[in-house]
Amino acid sequence: MNSRARFVAAMLLALSFGCVRVPPKNVALDRFDYGQSIADSWKRQTLSNIVRLRYGDAPTFLEVTSVINSYSTAGSVNGGATVPESPVPNSFNLGASRSWSNSPTVTYQPLTGQKFTANLLRPVPPAAVFQMISAGWPIELILRTSLRSINGLSNNNRGQRGDLAFDRIVEALTRIQRSRAMSVRVEERKEGEAVAVVLRKAAVPEQVLEDSRTVRTLLGLKDDATEFSVTFGSIPRNDLEIAVETRSMLELMLELATGVDVPPADLAEGRALSGLTAPGETPPEPLLHVRCGKSAPPDAFAAVPYRNLWFWIDDTDRASKSKFTFLMILFSLAEGGQTSAAPLVTISAGK
């Protein structure tokens, strides 16, 4: 290679190092990988706290407030050539270097104080519950999971059966929802969000009308009215109001904890909490089924270790998966407008 060719090669190499940058595909890879990891850890943390409550332990939450992944690249090139006057071969020296660094930083924040109280101990706002019904979520899932009572009629509570009328109302409203003979409207007002439930009476099948009459009778609602307001409370003020007591996130987690399988010895020795079912009474079907054993299946929906055992939700248990997912969505809705730092991936592409 003559001196001119070597010079051109050196210049091309120098230009290539001058364009060193972080590949754009890293953004897609990092965003997916970190997002998937955060989602999996959120599931495991939630399941772990449900299991802990079954054993009487206090729940512990650690939020991921930020994820920063900083990339840096650097490159250098040097070269030299000696072209002597004598007809001996030319002397040519070339050197190059490139460096790459990746510094991921994850920030965690314990959930304590006022935020802990707001997210876990305060009842979920009725507007948040009925917004999900308005969005098309099944009424049976929403009401059985998030309500403590409706117009004084009690839901099942920690293994203790509630009022049979509550079950009849849920079943009737489920059929009405499927027929699209009801709607939920959430309005913004000065005093806060207001919820209105509309039960149509015109142009609906006779079976739906019968279900509508059942709901009105059991809730003590005005028979010829079609629109009713929803408020938080145990007893309605009039026959145009539906009073609901919603559960807090901690109450809901305690309710779901009754469906955690535990060794019989742990119950007999008082290590795990039992339900509130009276002796000789058959407990209601739990909302969630969490299995336990010496090892968890590799394809479990979520699995956590605790007390030398593994606890998991089976990936084929659609009912438990839907209620568990609903719980995680409620965590976001229960914040009641409080702002918090969302997980963030920042990639710096330096030259």
Side-chain angles (χ1 to χ4, degrees):
M1 181 183 291
N2 57 35
S3 60
R4 181 176 181 180
R6 289 171 179 158
F7 180 77
V8 171
M11 291 301 98
L12 290 175
L13 185 60
L15 288 174
S16 68
F17 274 94
C19 298
V20 170
R21 64 191 180 94
V22 176
K25 65 180 182 180
N26 284 21
V27 176
L29 292 174
D30 285 345
R31 184 170 185 174
F32 178 83
D33 291 343
Y34 281 109
Q36 186 66 41
S37 297
I38 291 173
D40 290 342
S41 66
W42 188 20
K43 285 198 303 184
R44 297 189 67 213
Q45 178 177 250
T46 303
L47 179 58
S48 176
N49 281 320
I50 291 175
V51 174
R52 290 173 62 86
L53 286 170
R54 184 73 158 99
Y55 278 86
D57 285 348
T60 302
F61 290 90
L62 201 64
E63 290 187 321
V64 179
T65 59
S66 67
V67 179
I68 302 175
N69 202 8
S70 177
Y71 292 96
S72 64
T73 60
S76 64
V77 62
N78 58 77
T82 302
V83 184
E85 296 179 358
S86 60
V88 295
N90 297 332
S91 175
F92 183 80
N93 299 315
L94 178 66
S97 66
R98 181 178 178 179
S99 62
W100 168 276
S101 66
N102 180 12
S103 305
T105 302
V106 181
T107 305
Y108 302 97
Q109 178 180 351
L111 186 61
T112 57
Q114 183 179 1
K115 190 171 185 180
F116 180 87
T117 302
N119 288 5
L120 290 182
L121 303 183
R122 293 178 186 172
V124 177
V129 173
F130 282 87
Q131 275 178 337
M132 300 193 73
I133 296 176
S134 177
W137 281 69
I139 277 184
E140 183 172 13
L141 169 65
I142 303 298
L143 298 190
R144 290 192 187 280
T145 305
S146 59
L147 292 193
R148 189 190 311 150
S149 71
I150 180 169
N151 276 19
L153 302 174
S154 299
N155 190 8
N156 296 333
N157 180 37
R158 294 186 59 190
Q160 187 175 26
R161 288 193 178 275
D163 294 311
L164 293 178
F166 185 96
D167 293 334
R168 292 182 60 193
I169 291 170
V170 171
E171 293 166 1
L173 286 175
T174 297
R175 291 189 291 267
I176 294 173
Q177 183 189 40
R178 289 172 181 169
S179 69
R180 300 184 178 181
M182 70 171 292
S183 62
V184 176
R185 186 174 67 250
V186 180
E187 302 173 344
E188 291 284 349
R189 298 180 180 176
K190 292 182 179 180
E191 62 274 13
E193 292 180 317
V195 181
V197 175
V198 179
L199 298 177
R200 292 195 294 111
K201 299 183 69 173
V204 295
E206 180 58 34
Q207 178 59 50
V208 176
L209 287 176
E210 181 61 31
D211 286 330
S212 181
R213 286 191 288 268
T214 298
V215 171
R216 286 178 168 85
T217 299
L218 294 177
L219 293 180
L221 302 176
K222 192 174 183 179
D223 184 63
D224 59 349
T226 58
E227 184 170 321
F228 308 92
S229 62
V230 178
T231 186
F232 182 86
S234 57
I235 303 296
R237 290 169 292 188
N238 53 59
D239 56 4
L240 293 175
E241 188 174 79
I242 300 175
V244 297
E245 286 185 301
T246 54
R247 287 171 167 151
S248 66
M249 296 308 301
L250 186 58
E251 284 181 285
L252 178 52
M253 291 178 66
L254 284 168
E255 183 66 33
L256 295 178
T258 61
V260 176
D261 291 342
V262 295
D266 288 353
L267 284 175
E269 297 171 1
R271 301 181 188 276
L273 301 179
S274 59
L276 303 177
T277 307
E281 182 181 350
T282 303
E285 188 72 20
L287 294 174
L288 181 72
H289 187 192
V290 178
R291 295 165 170 81
C292 77
K294 292 295 183 182
S295 61
D299 61 345
F301 175 69
V304 293
Y306 185 76
R307 289 178 176 253
N308 298 321
L309 291 172
W310 276 89
F311 295 84
W312 71 90
I313 298 175
D314 197 283
D315 196 44
T316 62
D317 188 351
R318 291 183 296 176
S320 293
K321 287 167 60 176
S322 63
K323 293 180 177 66
F324 186 82
T325 300
F326 175 67
L327 169 68
M328 297 177 69
I329 293 174
L330 270 186
F331 268 118
S332 299
L333 297 177
E335 289 190 4
Q338 289 201 18
T339 58
S340 60
L344 174 68
V345 177
T346 302
I347 299 179
S348 174
K351 292 186 179 181

